[in-house]
Amino acid sequence: MQNKIPPIVLPKFELKREFDFRDQDFERIRQLIHKEAGIALNPTKKDMVYGRLVRRIRELKLPTFAAYIDFLQSIAGKREFEQFVNALTTNLTFFFREEHHFQMLSAHLKTLAGKGEVAIWCAAASSGEEPYSIAMTALEAFPLGSKPSIHILATDLDTSMLEVGRKGIYSADKIAKLPAGYAGKYFDKLPDGSYQAKSVLRDMIQFSRLNLIDSNWGIRKQFDAIFCRNVMIYFDRDTQFAVLKKFHPLIKPQGLLFVGHSENFYFASDYFSLKGKTVYELAKPRQ
């Protein structure tokens, strides 16, 4: 009988980390970010969390992740909590992302010509490309001389990204992705080769910090459109439903809610019904 060759067992190699990061540390972080921002971190995100927070630990000269978490929960660490949230917030964005949304927005805005003020809320503004895309779409939607007063509220949880949006300065490679003619029309080229949004855009937008899971948003007005794209995908179902219920009274009767390409809110059919590709309108009252 032929002898079987025993399998080769390779030794396990574990990545040597600069700072101790135990499973219980990751679990504490998951609980903190969910409580503060509604973000439900997948258990597979441990390496991502390490990579995003390790710079804060170095800067604060702390010995371990456990020490960092203890600091976050102390009185002295209250200001660091903002940096913690900023580090774990995803900010992938670019001008006219999901182009079909801006085509639908343009068509919607044209129905509002002559109706006075137009109000739009961009509820996950990140570094500003989305609200500036909304502003350009609005200016293009109305013929010269018929433009109503347009106000855009741009909110986000990440204060560092909001500051980028307020300045409206972007690299040439980001501006290159704009529709033909928009760069010269809506941006000024700066000496360092970057581009800044013209005042006609910046004056339309109010950047402000807002946490979507806060119990009171402090918003009293209604909007013709709300953009909340690619953020609720990080929330659990209960948090998504709570946010959608709060959006409902803030949208005008004919207003629209724009969401991300992978977000589906069929479970909130009492509040919203699908109008187009990831665009919702207010649900009609049940008879």
Side-chain angles (χ1 to χ4, degrees), residues 7 46 84 87 102 113 149 159 165 168 173 212 235 245 270:
K46 185 177 178 181
F84 167 74
F102 297 97
S149 177
T159 53
D173 62 310
L212 287 171
F235 297 166
K245 285 197 296 184
D270 286 343

Side-chain angles (χ1 to χ4, degrees), residues 239-254:
T239 305
Q240 290 175 348
F241 192 57
V243 171
L244 289 168
K245 285 197 296 184
K246 289 170 72 176
F247 277 150
H248 187 268
L250 297 178
I251 297 180
K252 293 179 183 179
Q254 305 304 317

Side-chain angles (χ1 to χ4, degrees), residues 32 140 273:
L32 281 174
E140 293 288 326
S273 59

